Amino acid sequence: MIFRLNRNIIVAKTWIIIFFFSKSMCSQSQMGSIWFANYDSLSRKNWVLLDGFGALGSQVLDNKFANQMLLGGKLDKNYLRSLADNMNEQNGVGVDVCAGFSFWNFSDTILNKPNLGFMAQLGTRYQGSLTFTRDFFEVGFLGNADFAGRTAELGPLNGNLQAFQKFGFGIFNKRTRSYVSLSLLEGQMVQNISLRKGDFFTSATGDSLSLQYNGEYNRSDTARRGLMNGSGVGFCLDAGYNYIVPDGESWFRFELQDMGLIIWNRATERYQLNGQNSFTGLVIDDINNLSADSIEVPDFKDSLQFDDEE
């Protein structure tokens, strides 16, 4: 399913159509009239359709933010503050990228019905989504200085990332190009995190931090890499219905893509996240004799800093 939100959507879509005829090749500019031409005129023609699709969307993050994050650049503090001030308690961002090709056979008939043709398709898809709190965005991009003496609620937070390939067969109506297809799915990878609670406390003087968290994290077999690596297997249904307007030059298209499931193999890893970590600073035994042995460092892996320097 495609993750789409209300506004600020960046979409890039490319279609390349190659028509294989018995004697000649048709130019792409004729696609509109040929796509819904009378199927009798296409009885000896087979098509290969190459397509690609990409979408990045959010109801709170705009195109400037996406461009700077993807292409590089500086995000001004005042700009980030304006984004945070306009956020809801729960916010979302999603990405969907896919590419593939399909073969449409107009030459043969299915079930002795001349208006039905055979199709096959092969493709790959990458999808990701993240829902997050306003506090999560502020701490991540503006630091925790504004939370001195209070708690930043980093949860609930939910993130998903998955990739899969598919290979399927189906039938289509030669006149309307409506179709239905069933595909085998090969799961490439999946990662998801669900943080039900993430309370991050900063003391009023900024000398101690505390994080309480509760949730879970799952990821597919890390020993398998690349396309069609066998990390999971499943199936999906694709279907499209085209309604042709009586004038014959316009149509409405309703489409269902990749509705199905993937069962991941037994090497899939699952982790429960439940605990509390605190940081109360460094303990120096002798200020006049600084050395690695004289400094007691607590067991922590990361800390948050706020730097107001331009």
Side-chain angles (χ1 to χ4, degrees), residues 5 58-60 86-93 130-136 153-159 195-196:
L5 296 169
S58 175
Q59 86 274 35
V60 291
N86 290 319
M87 285 187 177
N88 305 311
E89 289 301 319
Q90 281 289 307
N91 311 276
V93 61
L130 178 68
T131 59
F132 56 93
T133 65
R134 178 172 51 218
D135 289 356
F136 178 86
E153 297 182 357
L154 307 185
L157 179 143
N158 292 280
L195 195 64
R196 291 178 289 273

Side-chain angles (χ1 to χ4, degrees), residues 125-281:
R125 192 162 201 164
Y126 295 83
Q127 296 176 310
S129 64
L130 178 68
T131 59
F132 56 93
T133 65
R134 178 172 51 218
D135 289 356
F136 178 86
F137 179 87
E138 289 194 47
V139 171
F141 286 93
L142 293 169
N144 62 328
D146 291 342
F147 290 92
R150 60 192 182 96
T151 299
E153 297 182 357
L154 307 185
L157 179 143
N158 292 280
N160 296 279
L161 180 65
Q162 69 172 356
F164 59 87
Q165 289 75 50
K166 68 178 182 181
F167 178 67
F169 300 92
I171 59 175
F172 70 95
N173 185 297
K174 295 178 182 178
R175 185 180 68 86
T176 66
R177 313 301 181 262
S178 299
Y179 74 95
V180 61
S181 174
L182 185 64
S183 298
L184 174 69
L185 295 181
E186 182 76 16
Q188 178 182 339
M189 59 81 67
V190 66
Q191 294 188 60
N192 60 72
I193 183 171
S194 177
L195 195 64
R196 291 178 289 273
K197 177 182 179 181
D199 292 342
F200 181 69
F201 177 77
T202 302
S203 65
T205 57
D207 59 354
S208 62
L209 306 173
S210 176
L211 175 63
Q212 292 182 322
Y213 52 90
N214 177 268
E216 58 187 19
Y217 170 70
N218 304 309
R219 65 180 180 183
S220 56
D221 190 350
T222 57
R224 298 174 182 264
R225 305 282 183 177
L227 301 176
M228 299 184 179
N229 58 40
S231 294
V233 64
F235 66 91
C236 74
L237 177 70
D238 297 288
Y241 174 75
N242 299 311
Y243 171 75
I244 305 176
V245 178
D247 61 15
E249 297 184 3
S250 306
W251 66 90
F252 293 96
R253 183 175 183 84
F254 305 90
E255 193 165 28
L256 176 69
Q257 292 184 353
D258 298 330
M259 188 182 73
L261 59 88
I262 297 176
I263 300 175
W264 301 94
N265 66 24
R266 295 184 177 181
T268 300
E269 300 174 351
R270 297 175 175 84
Y271 301 93
Q272 293 296 319
L273 309 176
N274 188 12
Q276 178 175 350
N277 295 101
S278 299
F279 171 61
T280 57

